[in-house]
Amino acid sequence: MTAMLNVRDLRAYYGQVQALHGLSFALNEGSLTTLLGANGAGKTTTLRAICNMVRSTGAIEFEGKPLSGKSTENVVRLGIAHVPQGRGTFTTMTVEENLQLGAITRTDKKNIVADIERMYEHFPVLKERHTQQAGTLSGGEQQMLAVARALMLRPRLMLLDEPSFGLAPLIVRDLFKILGKINREDKVTILVVEQNAQLALELADQAYVIETGKIVMSGNAKEIASNEDVRKSYLGY
Ligand code: ATP
């Protein structure tokens, strides 16, 4: 099977600082993959490099097409949605306006209303609050809105940066359940960066571990979860 996303020998730089040191990995279509690693390992930078938001070298191919030289906007147009850490909803707009804005680059306008309804099925709390300003939602609700807004692009691949950040454990579980459903039912391939390794490994089918800008381990999530080094370093037992 050819991979949907193929990343080879990725190096990324912030000025003189090199953050990624020849990172390679692949995502199969339909997979739900987690990228685990400690603070500063380079997880966020990996997602930023895929979206061309940081200077990088190496090869990134999406559905057989190279992404190098493409603007962030064009990467989005190819079907890759990025949900950065910190959510980034439009705080003075309502929930529904945020969802409509998520679809702004789409050409198939006629399905937008149905897709907003689909988001309300996934996230009923957003339906209850559809006229509320995004900035007044709770942290968990804002994270749900950020995911829903990204899905309004109808992406083929969604990149999520620490969706659990700052959320209560029960809310994280709910959110992860919905991500699993979106992956299975809506056929969105998902790459999720997480510090909450335990939950991420329960959710994902594939996992990569990143240390100082390099992949040091890869495999199916169950294998990785039972690896002794991973248990000690990331799961705490
Ligand atoms: P965290 O889990 O803490 O978010 P991370 O694995 O996502 O960490 P990155 O944010 O990708 O790690 O950072 C990788 C490295 O790049 C770190 O050493 C960090 O200090 C450095 N770095 C990140 N952003 C910048 C920046 N804007 N300028 C300089 N160095 C940066």
Side-chain angles (χ1 to χ4, degrees):
M1 183 163 39
T2 41
M4 174 187 240
L5 185 82
N6 220 323
V7 174
R8 281 190 308 277
D9 200 27
L10 187 63
R11 290 156 205 271
Y13 305 86
Y14 296 101
Q16 300 296 311
V17 179
Q18 185 170 356
L20 300 181
H21 298 265
L23 180 133
S24 300
F25 69 96
L27 302 182
N28 288 329
E29 182 166 359
S31 62
L32 204 169
T33 305
T34 185
L35 186 60
L36 305 174
N39 280 318
K43 305 180 297 296
T44 296
T45 304
T46 303
L47 301 192
R48 291 173 60 90
I50 295 167
C51 301
N52 226 335
M53 298 164 79
V54 55
R55 187 166 68 85
S56 67
T57 64
I60 306 177
E61 274 175 13
F62 177 63
E63 298 184 323
K65 295 186 206 85
L67 294 186
S68 68
K70 293 219 178 335
S71 65
T72 301
E73 196 186 324
N74 283 331
V75 172
V76 171
R77 280 181 203 277
L78 283 176
I80 301 180
H82 178 211
V83 184
Q85 202 179 348
R87 295 144 204 168
T89 53
F90 295 104
T91 52
T92 59
M93 291 186 182
T94 66
V95 166
E96 190 139 325
E97 285 164 350
N98 268 275
L99 294 178
Q100 282 159 349
L101 262 182
I104 202 152
T105 57
R106 269 171 56 173
T107 45
D108 59 330
K109 302 286 182 203
K110 68 179 193 319
N111 295 318
I112 289 175
V113 172
D115 284 358
I116 290 180
E117 279 310 311
R118 177 70 176 153
M119 291 310 127
Y120 290 156
E121 272 172 41
H122 284 312
F123 303 104
V125 69
L126 296 182
K127 182 168 185 144
E128 282 164 31
R129 297 176 180 274
H130 72 283
T131 57
Q132 191 171 322
Q133 279 196 358
T136 65
L137 297 173
S138 73
E141 290 159 357
Q142 286 193 39
Q143 188 59 271
M144 291 178 194
L145 179 58
V147 172
R149 198 187 61 183
L151 288 169
M152 287 302 296
L153 286 163
R154 286 225 175 161
R156 315 245 312 113
L157 170 64
M158 181 161 65
L159 310 174
L160 283 159
D161 198 347
E162 283 200 39
S164 74
F165 187 78
L167 303 185
L170 274 179
I171 310 260
V172 176
R173 267 194 192 278
D174 273 357
L175 178 63
F176 277 26
K177 258 192 219 148
I178 298 166
L179 292 178
K181 204 162 164 240
I182 288 163
N183 172 248
R184 287 188 308 275
E185 293 178 9
D186 300 353
K187 313 276 182 238
V188 181
T189 304
I190 298 179
L191 175 62
V192 55
V193 155
E194 259 301 332
Q195 282 207 40
N196 189 332
Q198 172 118 32
L199 267 180
L201 288 169
E202 281 174 30
L203 169 78
D205 40 57
Q206 295 292 312
Y208 288 93
V209 180
I210 177 171
E211 271 175 24
T212 51
K214 267 198 170 145
I215 300 291
V216 293
M217 210 182 289
S218 66
N220 81 45
K222 284 203 176 63
E223 267 165 39
I224 299 277
S226 60
N227 178 284
E228 200 167 330
D229 291 338
V230 171
R231 289 215 325 258
K232 276 195 200 129
S233 305
Y234 299 103
L235 300 174
Y237 56 87

